[in-house]
């Protein structure tokens, strides 16, 4: 039996952040990662805000491209562009970032174990036991509590009584050859990504990431999007094969139980409008580490004690996720004709310039931006020409 204070199931950035903070606090921590190598490519654009870069001290050498502008293309070809003088977001090398986070966890004293396929979690009154296999050899890990950061497809939340994801979608992405691309480009339209959007994100002078999100037929929509980009001369060729991953848009009913916490994608700590989850997941990783540190000091890992994690996560992200989900549902009901009308209304009213100049609009906190948009710009009782 391998004995630890805490076991983290899932060795991505969120799991590594939890492990780092717990290990730095003096606790004995193990990270069980199913992949056999660190830093493998993932289906993610790797775009994070400058706020995230500063908050977590992400090394600038992991940056591939910096952005201060973005263009949105409607189904009929109308272009809405936002630009600011200062850099707003950064595309980081996700593989290198994953390796960096794993290294931080190890340097802090955590055991980072590769090739470990966790298959069973047993909750006991005095602790947890995690059953895992490496190359067919079964091992058991005992701990005071377990943190699940194992992504969308995990069956553990349902098995442990926390519930299933209440809404989800699928993201697809592929690296392509693309020249003369200097900013993020977003493409709307029900023929491309119904209810969502497609994107083209530059990495350097010759490479970019093309992708989209869709609730169904994702591979078919992805093939059509790539063919459209090639037809328009935006993409020369693919440099790899498309990758796919599920994205939790609404969390399970609970993200904590006695001796169990969920963090990251498996906990639905993802922006519903964009599917981005790095920043929110890592913020909640710090909350998880703080709650677990307090629990071990008090010797209390009851459901009531662990519920402090739910409360603090809701205080931080609850309104943001709620507003984002409502905006996502609203956008999903719009036809291409309606999207075009909205875009032309935005052009007539200089909406993109107003949003670009507004201090209320940030890369991560969409809820605040939406409320500002309704209150100060588009409120129908304030302006006769509003939407």
């Amino acid at each position: 039996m391998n004995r630890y204070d805490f076991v983290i199931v899932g060795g991505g950035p969120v799991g590594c952040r939890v492990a780092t903070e717990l290990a730095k606090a003096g606790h004995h921590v193990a990270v069980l990662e199913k992949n056999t190598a660190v830093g493998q490519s993932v289906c993610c654009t790797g775009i994070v805000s400058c706020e995230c870069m500063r908050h977590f001290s992400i090394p600038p050498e992991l940056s591939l491209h910096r952005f201060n502008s973005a263009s949105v293309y409607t189904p009929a070809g109308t272009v809405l562009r936002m630009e600011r003088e200062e850099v707003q977001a950064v595309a980081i090398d996700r593989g290198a970032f994953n390796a960096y986070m794993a290294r931080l966890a190890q340097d802090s004293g955590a055991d980072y174990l590769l090739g470990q396929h966790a298959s069973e979690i047993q909750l006991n009154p005095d602790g947890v036991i995690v059953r895992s296999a490496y190359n067919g050899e079964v091992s058991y890990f005992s701990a005071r509590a377990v943190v699940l950061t194992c992504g969308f497809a995990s069956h553990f939340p349902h098995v442990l009584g926390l519930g299933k994801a209440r809404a989800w979608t699928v993201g697809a992405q592929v690296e392509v050859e693309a020249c003369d691309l200097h900013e993020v480009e977003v493409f709307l339209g029900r023929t491309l990504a119904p209810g969502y959007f497609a994107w083209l994100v530059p990495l350097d002078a010759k490479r970019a990431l093309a992708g989209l999100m869709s609730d169904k037929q994702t591979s078919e929509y992805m093939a059509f999007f790539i063919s459209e980009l090639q037809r328009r001369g935006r993409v020369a060729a693919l440099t790899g094969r498309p990758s796919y991953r599920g994205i939790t848009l609404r969390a399970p009913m609970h993200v904590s139980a006695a001796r169990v916490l969920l963090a990251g994608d498996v906990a639905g700590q993802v922006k519903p409008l964009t599917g981005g989850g790095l920043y929110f997941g890592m913020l909640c990783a710090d909350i998880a580490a703080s709650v677990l540190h307090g629990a071990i000091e008090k010797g209390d890992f009851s459901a009531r004690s662990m519920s402090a994690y739910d409360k603090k996560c809701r205080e931080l992200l609850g309104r943001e996720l709620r507003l984002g989900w409502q905006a996502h549902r609203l956008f999903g009901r719009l036809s291409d004709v309606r999207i075009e009308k909205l875009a032309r209304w935005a052009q007539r009213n200089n909406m993109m310039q107003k949003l670009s100049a507004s201090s209320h609009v940030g890369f991560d906190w969409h809820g605040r931006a939406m409320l500002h948009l309704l209150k100060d710009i588009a409120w129908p009782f304030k302006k006769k020409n509003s939407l």
Side-chain angles (χ1 to χ4, degrees), residues 196-336:
Y196 297 91
F197 60 92
W199 62 82
L200 195 56
V201 175
L203 299 178
D204 54 35
K206 296 183 178 179
R207 296 183 306 141
L209 295 174
L212 54 80
M213 294 188 294
S214 175
D215 289 338
K216 57 184 179 180
Q217 298 177 308
T218 309
S219 59
E220 288 86 347
Y221 284 118
M222 185 65 174
F224 177 72
F225 177 50
I226 295 300
S227 67
E228 280 294 292
L229 291 176
Q230 291 176 321
R231 183 182 65 81
R232 300 177 192 179
R234 304 305 312 282
V235 166
L238 305 185
T239 58
R241 299 182 62 182
S243 57
Y244 301 86
R245 75 178 181 95
I247 303 170
T248 304
L249 297 181
R250 295 196 75 195
M253 290 300 297
H254 305 283
V255 295
S256 73
R259 300 189 182 274
V260 182
L261 296 181
L262 310 183
D265 197 358
V266 72
Q269 293 157 355
V270 173
K271 291 176 276 190
L273 280 174
T274 67
L278 270 178
Y279 190 31
F280 286 1
M282 290 174 65
L283 288 173
C284 291
D286 286 358
I287 296 174
S290 174
V291 168
L292 290 173
H293 178 69
I296 205 170
E297 287 190 325
K298 295 181 294 185
D300 183 3
F301 291 91
S302 65
R304 182 176 181 179
S305 175
M306 295 293 95
S307 69
Y309 172 72
D310 289 82
K311 181 180 178 180
K312 292 180 179 180
C313 289
R314 284 197 305 270
E315 290 174 351
L316 177 66
L317 299 178
R319 187 183 74 160
E320 187 69 28
L321 298 180
R322 186 168 59 252
L323 288 171
W325 174 247
Q326 291 168 352
H328 162 68
R329 292 184 65 197
L330 176 63
F331 178 74
R333 296 189 182 105
L334 297 179
S335 65
D336 286 356

Side-chain angles (χ1 to χ4, degrees), residues 59-111:
E61 55 266 27
L62 296 181
S63 302
L64 298 174
H65 204 290
R66 300 175 184 273
F67 306 102
N68 69 331
S69 64
S71 290
V72 179
Y73 295 84
T74 70
T78 300
V79 182
L80 302 176
R81 189 170 187 272
M82 288 184 65
E83 182 176 10
R84 287 182 171 175
E85 292 184 2
E86 64 275 12
V87 174
Q88 298 296 302
V90 178
I92 60 175
D93 184 328
R94 269 305 307 272
F97 177 64
N98 286 11
Y100 166 75
M101 294 300 295
R103 192 162 58 250
L104 283 183
Q106 292 172 301
D107 291 345
S108 299
D111 290 343

Side-chain angles (χ1 to χ4, degrees), residues 112-123:
Y112 192 93
L113 308 176
L114 291 166
Q116 292 286 344
H117 289 260
S119 59
E120 182 181 346
I121 297 175
Q122 180 181 334
L123 301 180

Side-chain angles (χ1 to χ4, degrees), residues 329-348:
R329 292 184 65 197
L330 176 63
F331 178 74
R333 296 189 182 105
L334 297 179
S335 65
D336 286 356
V337 172
R338 188 59 174 163
I339 290 173
E340 188 62 32
K341 288 181 178 179
L342 287 169
R344 294 187 179 183
W345 172 86
Q347 282 187 330
R348 289 195 304 271

